[in-house]
Amino acid sequence: MKWIVLLGLVAFSECIVKIPLRQVKTTRKTLSGKNMLKNFLKEHPYRLSQISFRGSNLTIHPLRNIMNLVYVGNITIGTPPQEFQVVFDTGSSDLWVPSFCTMPACSAPVWFRQLQSSTFQPTNKTFTITYGSGSMKGFLAYDTVRIGDLVSTDQPFGLSVVEYGLEGRNYDGVLGLNYPNISFSGAIPIFDNLKNQGAISEPVFAFYLSKNKQEGSVVMFGGVDHQYYKGELNWIPLIEAGEWRVHMDRISMKRTVIACSDGCEALVHTGTSHIEGPGRLVNNIHRLIRTRPFDSKHYVSCFATKYLPSITFIINGIKYPMTARAYIFKDSRGRCYSAFKENTVRTSRETWILGDAFLRRYFSVFDRGNDRIGLARAV
């Protein structure tokens, strides 16, 4: 995560829970029924409302938009429950909140009081998580975690005791929604625990991120609500199961390729505010839209946003255009700056991170059952 991330089943509305808040030369290899279905679904995109979620429970949980930079939602931990505001992050896998900490970076207004929870179980295991702009060190524990009406018992989670680079943040902790294999703590993520305990009927979650409004954003578990998007969902297979990473064809402006010219990789991360990519290519985009660098941002005239061209991301053959109003942010003083930012993490392949700036425009579905991501134009 980079710090600074109803229902298509009208006929089954009684199941909704609304919460206020993925060539053989001579012989053909026989596939199992499960594999045949999986291959079929990857080759023939389907509407979730038609196939996947008949009779499923859909839990919709509200998120709060903080200046278009981070989206937070409430969870509770412990018995009796203690409330925390966390970022629901598809870029990481661990859940953690602050424990007692005296360091200046431990600036969260609340911390978990373990002695007040009758279901708290500590461990001796310590771990460290490194994010793009900071890190935390803590220890692993177990307790009951609730996301609205969803309850995960004996849920492993982290308690931070040392934090670096996280000063002044607008949230208490992080709830990771990536695959288990990238967990820093080695603990089972809460989504997997909820699935294993039968709390959600389908291994799917989705995001709708509002623009400029504090309210209206949601994360949904166990299904998809079609009123949050237009048209059909376009399905993108993951490069491999284990991370929300897809192949991107190219990035263009005015029908000219400006990045990802030979194909590249894209991470879809709700915990990242911007669109991040290699510095050389991000600088080229800034040159094309004529930004002026100042401090760590690249500014542009707010008036120019009416005339700047769209930038289009082509993924799995589908065009996802972003207008200037989508890729230009406005700071607290009303100045406009670019949502494109250099990714300082070096990779062997050209890699982009599609963060909240992209996901505000496109409703996103994360399908663990089929190892793919669905995108559609958000309402």
Side-chain angles (χ1 to χ4, degrees):
M1 186 194 79
K2 300 296 176 77
W3 179 78
I4 17 230
V5 155
L6 264 203
L7 180 65
L9 301 176
V10 178
F12 307 98
S13 58
E14 70 276 11
C15 299
I16 306 174
V17 180
K18 290 190 180 180
I19 304 171
L21 249 150
R22 159 206 322 195
Q23 175 183 35
V24 179
K25 293 182 178 179
T26 56
T27 60
R28 173 177 290 180
K29 184 176 180 180
T30 302
L31 297 175
S32 67
K34 181 178 179 180
N35 287 336
M36 289 178 67
L37 176 60
K38 198 165 189 177
N39 288 348
F40 176 83
L41 293 176
K42 287 184 177 181
E43 294 172 7
H44 304 277
Y46 63 88
R47 291 190 62 178
L48 293 174
S49 57
Q50 293 174 342
I51 297 180
S52 277
F53 299 119
R54 296 194 173 186
S56 66
N57 292 321
L58 172 64
T59 295
I60 298 180
H61 194 71
L63 302 175
R64 184 163 60 95
N65 177 2
I66 303 177
M67 297 181 63
N68 288 339
L69 293 176
V70 64
Y71 293 79
V72 300
N74 292 341
I75 66 168
T76 66
I77 305 175
T79 308
Q82 301 175 40
E83 188 171 83
F84 299 90
Q85 291 193 10
V86 298
V87 177
F88 288 75
D89 175 33
T90 60
S92 63
S93 299
D94 295 285
L95 166 63
W96 67 269
V97 295
S99 180
F100 181 73
C101 175
T102 58
M103 296 185 63
C106 303
S107 58
V110 298
W111 59 85
F112 184 71
R113 291 164 172 80
Q114 52 192 273
L115 296 179
Q116 296 182 12
S117 174
S118 61
T119 46
F120 177 77
Q121 303 173 58
T123 76
N124 294 323
K125 183 174 182 178
T126 62
F127 65 98
T128 300
I129 302 177
T130 301
Y131 298 112
S133 301
S135 63
M136 63 78 70
K137 182 176 181 179
F139 66 93
L140 198 65
Y142 292 81
D143 212 327
T144 299
V145 179
R146 294 175 174 85
I147 306 172
D149 285 349
L150 294 175
V151 181
S152 177
T153 58
D154 296 319
Q155 175 61 46
F157 70 105
L159 286 167
S160 67
V161 293
V162 179
E163 298 175 6
Y164 299 99
L166 300 176
E167 300 91 339
R169 66 183 188 265
N170 301 81
Y171 54 91
D172 302 318
V174 177
L175 189 151
L177 289 169
N178 214 326
Y179 282 71
N181 55 287
I182 67 167
S183 166
F184 282 85
S185 68
I188 183 171
I190 188 168
F191 183 77
D192 294 79
N193 221 20
L194 289 169
K195 181 178 53 149
N196 295 342
Q197 293 176 7
I200 52 177
S201 54
E202 297 289 343
V204 171
F205 57 90
F207 283 87
Y208 171 79
L209 303 181
S210 65
K211 182 176 182 180
N212 300 325
K213 298 185 300 179
Q214 271 200 358
E215 310 303 325
S217 302
V218 298
V219 57
M220 54 193 77
F221 295 93
V224 171
D225 186 338
H226 74 167
Q227 73 173 328
Y228 285 100
Y229 65 90
K230 304 173 184 176
E232 300 286 330
L233 284 164
N234 298 308
W235 292 107
I236 309 159
L238 301 185
I239 291 176
E240 61 180 349
E243 190 174 19
W244 298 118
R245 181 189 297 265
V246 298
H247 176 79
M248 184 157 61
D249 305 331
R250 58 196 177 277
I251 303 173
S252 66
M253 176 191 290
K254 295 181 177 179
R255 299 182 181 179
T256 299
V257 177
I258 59 173
C260 191
S261 56
D262 297 318
C264 58
E265 297 182 358
L267 299 163
V268 185
H269 286 181
T270 56
T272 300
S273 305
H274 302 79
I275 298 171
E276 302 190 7
R280 173 180 58 85
L281 299 173
V282 169
N283 289 338
N284 182 50
I285 291 174
H286 286 153
R287 181 183 60 81
L288 291 170
I289 62 177
R290 300 183 179 181
T291 63
R292 302 181 309 276
F294 178 73
D295 199 7
S296 61
K297 296 182 175 65
H298 285 74
Y299 288 91
V300 67
S301 165
C302 293
F303 180 76
T305 59
K306 297 179 181 179
Y307 306 102
L308 286 173
S310 294
I311 295 176
T312 301
F313 299 80
I314 298 91
I315 307 173
N316 205 31
I318 303 295
K319 295 180 179 179
Y320 297 93
M322 289 186 66
T323 64
R325 295 186 65 176
Y327 66 76
I328 298 297
F329 288 175
K330 187 173 286 189
D331 66 16
S332 58
R333 297 175 59 183
R335 300 175 301 180
C336 293
Y337 65 97
S338 167
F340 288 90
K341 185 178 179 181
E342 179 182 0
N343 179 13
T344 56
V345 178
R346 302 303 175 207
T347 57
S348 58
R349 284 205 63 190
E350 180 183 338
T351 301
W352 291 78
I353 301 176
L354 304 180
D356 295 342
F358 179 85
L359 297 172
R360 269 190 290 275
R361 189 166 176 85
Y362 295 101
F363 178 84
S364 53
V365 183
F366 297 81
D367 184 353
R368 280 282 303 274
N370 292 295
D371 300 315
R372 60 186 182 169
I373 294 172
L375 295 174
R377 182 72 167 89
V379 293

